[in-house]
Amino acid sequence: MVFALCSGSGRSVVSRPCSRPLRLQIAQRCGFKTDGRSRTSGFWIPTGGISKKIADGGKEDANALLVRGGFLRQAYSGVFHLLPLGLRVQDKFERLIDKHMRSLGASKVALSSISSQELWEKSGRLTEDSEVFRFTDRKESRFLLAPTHEEEITTLVASLTKSYKDLPLRLYQITRKYRDEPRPRQGLLRGREFVMKDLYTFDYNVEEALKTYHAVKGAYVQLFKELKIPFLVAAAHSGSMGGSMSHEFHLESSKGEDNVISCSHCDHVYNGELENGVSNAPDSQASLASESFGATSGGPPAISNGLWMAISSDRKTLVRGWYPEFLMQEGNEEPVRRRVSSHAVKSIAQAAGVDLDLSIEKPLELWVAKLKVDKSCGSGSARVLDLYDSHVRVYKRPPLSDLMNELDLPTVEVEYSMLDRFPGTNHGLSLLQVHDGDKCQKCAQGSLKVHTSVELGHTFHLGTRYSEVLEASVPVNRSLLDAPESSSTSSSESQIVPMQMGCHGIGVSRLISAVADNLADSRGLNWPRAVAPYEVAVVPGEGLEEVAEKVYDSLTTDPTTSADVILDDRTKSIGWKLGDADLIGYPVIIVVGKGWKKQQVLEVQCRRLDNLREDVSLEQLPTFVKSLLDRL
């Protein structure tokens, strides 16, 4: 048996277990230099060897760039390994988040990724359809891998907070989350395992909770401004999280799954999920039609009508939406094709007492099948609910005969109803998605623009959605509560009240992918300075390694610069290394090449500043690089 020890000097000591004298041998030099400099030779960057794939739009897919650049690799569907470059980007995102959470006075915690199914059932968020990974231990105790931590943090705070004087409380974590995503896609944008930042806030009354909410929202704005990316802040729906107020932070992306609408004149920005089905036409125009045909509710004329269908969750109600398939729009000579907003239709149907299942691709077939089963069993009742957009003519009589004959169900009794007003109001219905150029409903002056975008962060005012059911309450002096003080009760007396909560998230994993996609160009990734794996790459030509070390030292030891630098000392051609530096997306690249040999100058490149290329002397380099980094 032979034992070899490798030291930083490259010498190996080899021992043989025998009686002969010890022999020292020179082994092959190790590939690492331990001089304290950050070098590509001592940092695992598995780039190259992966084919370049250009998307239909002419730009390489961001996930493919992250793979080719050596940032990550897919392990399984929706599950990724982060490699050293990717981990450096994630770490910098996390440090940036830490900085802005500290500005709020938030304390960092680390909650377990394992949560109790019983706890989630208590909050009402665990159902058969919940996208969570569930498991039982050897004692048959039921657990799940947490996709979020509202239940756990509320229970924890409830056990440790005894007085309103312990509030406000602001706790955050950056941790792995898990979601049994049925269709993982778009790389890190929608995976089954992801890294998330959650900030949970606790206050003793609504007024203080809203102050906290706006403080967090302001910190988010500053965080995204520091990234120097073109983000949007949009009013949003609270969804399954609950609560009465929420905002989302979005980045435009062709891969986005959200439509954010903004006005050219006022500050109205909102997620398309808030489309509520209420027409903005004046009430006087929303008159009912005559027996057969009637006037529309005003606005641009419909060129032709379309039919959209959905089915209720109990499969008994078929909802049909009659909408203008083409509309004339101000400023356009040609008619504009319109599409139905599923959010608007669901809002109308819900107000009418119908819970729609929008996941069904062929609702009519499913409704007929359910109708036939119920008829054969002699039970149940079938319904048809017709919704009329304010731009189309309305039938007063049920237009069912053609439908039933077509389905060969002429003898089946169907309960029919129709709506051309939003339930409980005199407003007409709007079934349409917003289209670029539509008038703003808020100011009636600006035109709307639809942005396809990726959600990066979300702030929720939860109120007592979780604190009530999980008994997170504190005694509070009545004088401090929002409700009017009872005349018969002393203001010094206490009342037990549930804490007012907020939840504020940032998707760290999807930030990596979304920012990469938004800023990448034909040459590769193009990171903002704040989260780049390294701020500066020094790339020397053959025989100029010692000069490159001097360049590295001048940037890392100068107290005014203190840049995050890596030295590319791989035994590759300078052309290959420069291509690799562009692919990886370093903000600043310093080339030690022909310019040094001819004029003792270094070429400084910066794609983010209009593809800047400038020759700089070694003496001027620290000051020049600092000026660039300050602008990035």
Side-chain angles (χ1 to χ4, degrees):
M1 183 180 294
V2 177
F3 301 94
L5 300 176
C6 178
S7 69
S9 64
R11 295 182 178 274
S12 295
V13 179
V14 181
S15 70
R16 298 174 182 268
C18 62
S19 60
R20 285 180 292 181
L22 182 68
R23 294 172 56 194
L24 298 179
Q25 297 178 342
I26 304 298
Q28 183 178 1
R29 287 181 61 84
C30 295
F32 300 101
K33 292 184 180 180
T34 55
D35 57 6
R37 299 185 181 97
S38 295
R39 298 173 176 271
T40 54
S41 62
F43 191 82
W44 191 33
I45 308 178
T47 56
I50 298 174
S51 299
K52 186 174 182 178
K53 297 179 181 179
I54 302 298
D56 294 338
K59 189 174 83 170
E60 188 171 2
D61 176 76
N63 188 62
L65 283 171
L66 289 168
V67 172
R68 279 211 307 126
F71 289 79
L72 53 83
R73 289 294 188 278
Q74 181 169 315
Y76 312 100
S77 175
V79 179
F80 290 83
H81 296 312
L82 276 189
L83 304 184
L85 281 175
L87 189 58
R88 282 187 70 88
V89 173
Q90 179 174 293
D91 286 345
K92 289 193 174 184
F93 270 120
E94 292 184 13
R95 288 202 294 270
L96 181 65
I97 291 169
D98 286 336
K99 169 186 168 183
H100 289 278
M101 292 302 98
R102 286 195 299 270
S103 75
L104 294 166
S107 300
K108 195 171 187 178
V109 298
L111 303 181
S112 171
S113 293
I114 297 176
S115 186
S116 161
Q117 290 187 35
E118 183 180 359
L119 190 60
W120 277 63
E121 288 168 345
K122 191 173 182 180
S123 72
R125 287 209 295 177
L126 188 65
T127 65
E128 291 184 3
D129 298 329
S130 298
E131 295 175 353
V132 296
F133 290 103
R134 313 172 202 220
F135 64 96
T136 57
D137 66 10
R138 65 185 68 193
K139 297 178 182 179
E140 298 302 316
S141 299
R142 299 182 304 128
F143 294 102
L144 56 82
L145 293 178
T148 184
H149 281 85
E150 283 73 28
E151 285 80 1
E152 290 292 346
I153 195 70
T154 306
T155 304
L156 177 64
V157 170
S159 69
L160 297 173
T161 306
K162 305 304 179 185
S163 168
Y164 76 93
K165 295 180 180 179
D166 297 329
L167 306 177
L169 191 59
R170 299 169 180 178
L171 304 173
Y172 82 101
Q173 65 172 348
I174 303 175
T175 189
R176 289 182 181 273
K177 302 292 185 73
Y178 303 88
R179 177 177 57 220
D180 190 8
E181 175 62 52
R183 292 193 307 117
R185 55 200 179 277
Q186 309 288 9
L188 297 177
L189 289 182
R190 184 163 290 277
R192 306 174 80 190
E193 179 186 45
F194 50 96
V195 176
M196 188 90 180
K197 188 281 299 181
D198 296 307
L199 168 67
Y200 298 103
T201 64
F202 300 82
D203 290 275
Y204 61 80
N205 67 12
V206 173
E207 181 182 359
E208 294 300 314
L210 292 179
K211 287 180 183 177
T212 296
Y213 181 91
H214 292 297
V216 175
K217 184 182 170 190
Y220 270 34
V221 168
Q222 294 306 312
L223 187 157
F224 287 111
K225 279 184 177 179
E226 192 166 342
L227 281 173
K228 297 189 176 178
I229 54 176
F231 66 95
L232 294 164
V233 184
H237 196 281
S238 294
S240 63
M241 291 292 293
S244 58
M245 180 188 297
S246 71
H247 288 85
E248 293 171 342
F249 292 74
H250 283 264
L251 183 63
E252 280 197 78
S253 171
S254 59
K255 294 183 178 179
E257 298 179 337
D258 289 278
N259 287 329
V260 171
I261 294 98
S262 65
C263 175
S264 63
H265 183 263
C266 67
D267 60 355
H268 193 33
V269 183
Y270 64 98
N271 192 309
E273 293 177 351
L274 291 181
E275 291 170 345
N276 58 12
V278 179
S279 171
N280 64 339
D283 289 352
S284 60
Q285 294 180 350
S287 58
L288 277 173
S290 62
E291 178 80 18
S292 56
F293 293 102
T296 68
S297 65
I303 305 302
S304 65
N305 294 341
L307 174 61
W308 181 94
M309 287 188 281
I311 193 171
S312 61
S313 298
D314 62 8
R315 310 301 187 241
K316 293 183 178 181
T317 303
L318 179 70
V319 174
R320 303 192 298 177
W322 302 90
Y323 71 100
E325 192 171 9
F326 290 91
L327 275 179
M328 295 303 298
Q329 187 182 57
E330 184 178 340
N332 288 332
E333 295 182 359
E334 297 294 326
V336 175
R337 183 165 196 164
R338 307 308 296 256
R339 301 186 186 281
V340 168
S341 166
S342 59
H343 304 294
V345 175
K346 188 162 187 175
S347 175
I348 298 166
Q350 190 170 20
V354 179
D355 180 29
L356 289 185
D357 184 349
L358 298 176
S359 66
I360 304 302
E361 295 183 359
K362 298 180 178 180
L364 180 60
E365 292 182 14
L366 190 59
W367 180 74
V368 171
K370 172 68 173 174
L371 193 152
K372 289 180 176 179
V373 169
D374 287 351
K375 181 185 177 184
S376 63
C377 296
S379 63
S381 60
R383 295 180 59 200
V384 170
L385 172 61
D386 276 346
L387 308 177
Y388 289 91
D389 184 89
S390 60
H391 293 93
V392 304
R393 292 183 172 91
V394 182
Y395 287 96
K396 269 193 171 182
R397 58 181 175 79
L400 282 177
S401 56
D402 291 345
L403 172 67
M404 304 310 290
N405 289 329
E406 180 184 341
L407 299 175
D408 194 24
L409 297 168
T411 61
V412 176
E413 292 187 6
V414 176
E415 178 186 335
Y416 175 78
S417 58
M418 58 82 70
L419 286 173
D420 67 341
R421 310 286 182 92
F422 195 88
T425 77
N426 198 36
H427 292 285
L429 302 183
S430 174
L431 308 187
L432 302 179
Q433 293 180 10
V434 169
H435 190 280
D436 285 349
D438 285 353
K439 287 296 182 183
C440 176
Q441 294 189 38
K442 184 177 181 181
C443 69
Q445 298 181 49
S447 60
L448 298 177
K449 179 174 175 56
V450 181
H451 311 263
T452 302
S453 62
V454 172
E455 179 191 333
L456 304 179
H458 205 149
T459 57
F460 296 92
H461 170 56
L462 299 175
T464 59
R465 159 73 173 84
Y466 298 94
S467 55
E468 280 190 345
V469 295
L470 298 175
E471 301 176 355
S473 302
V474 290
V476 181
N477 287 348
R478 289 184 180 271
S479 60
L480 299 174
L481 296 178
D482 304 297
E485 185 181 323
S486 170
S487 59
S488 61
T489 307
S490 170
S491 63
S492 62
E493 291 185 9
S494 294
Q495 178 178 340
I496 304 297
V497 297
M499 298 181 215
Q500 293 286 332
M501 290 179 57
C503 172
H504 314 276
I506 291 178
V508 180
S509 298
R510 63 170 37 202
L511 262 175
I512 296 173
S513 186
V515 171
D517 179 68
N518 184 267
L519 299 179
D521 58 24
S522 60
R523 289 158 65 180
L525 299 165
N526 201 0
W527 297 104
R529 176 197 179 184
V531 295
Y534 289 94
E535 295 173 330
V536 181
V538 179
V539 182
E542 186 177 358
L544 295 172
E545 290 80 11
E546 289 188 8
V547 179
E549 290 177 354
K550 291 180 181 179
V551 171
Y552 178 98
D553 293 342
S554 72
L555 295 173
T556 55
T557 59
D558 188 293
T560 62
T561 308
S562 300
D564 185 15
V565 187
I566 190 167
L567 174 60
D568 194 342
D569 61 344
R570 291 173 289 185
T571 56
K572 297 281 190 177
S573 71
I574 189 170
W576 187 94
K577 290 192 286 188
L578 286 174
D580 196 57
D582 281 342
L583 170 61
I584 291 171
Y586 304 112
V588 176
I589 300 171
I590 299 173
V591 184
V592 187
K594 294 179 180 178
W596 183 265
K597 290 180 178 179
K598 293 179 179 180
Q599 299 176 320
Q600 300 284 288
V601 294
L602 307 158
E603 182 180 89
V604 180
Q605 302 179 2
C606 182
R607 281 153 62 203
R608 285 183 60 75
L609 296 176
D610 298 322
N611 287 311
L612 176 144
R613 288 174 181 260
E614 192 157 333
D615 292 336
V616 180
S617 68
L618 181 58
E619 292 74 22
Q620 297 173 323
L621 185 66
T623 303
F624 184 76
V625 169
K626 182 181 184 302
S627 70
L628 292 183
L629 294 177
D630 287 344
R631 294 162 60 189
L632 293 176

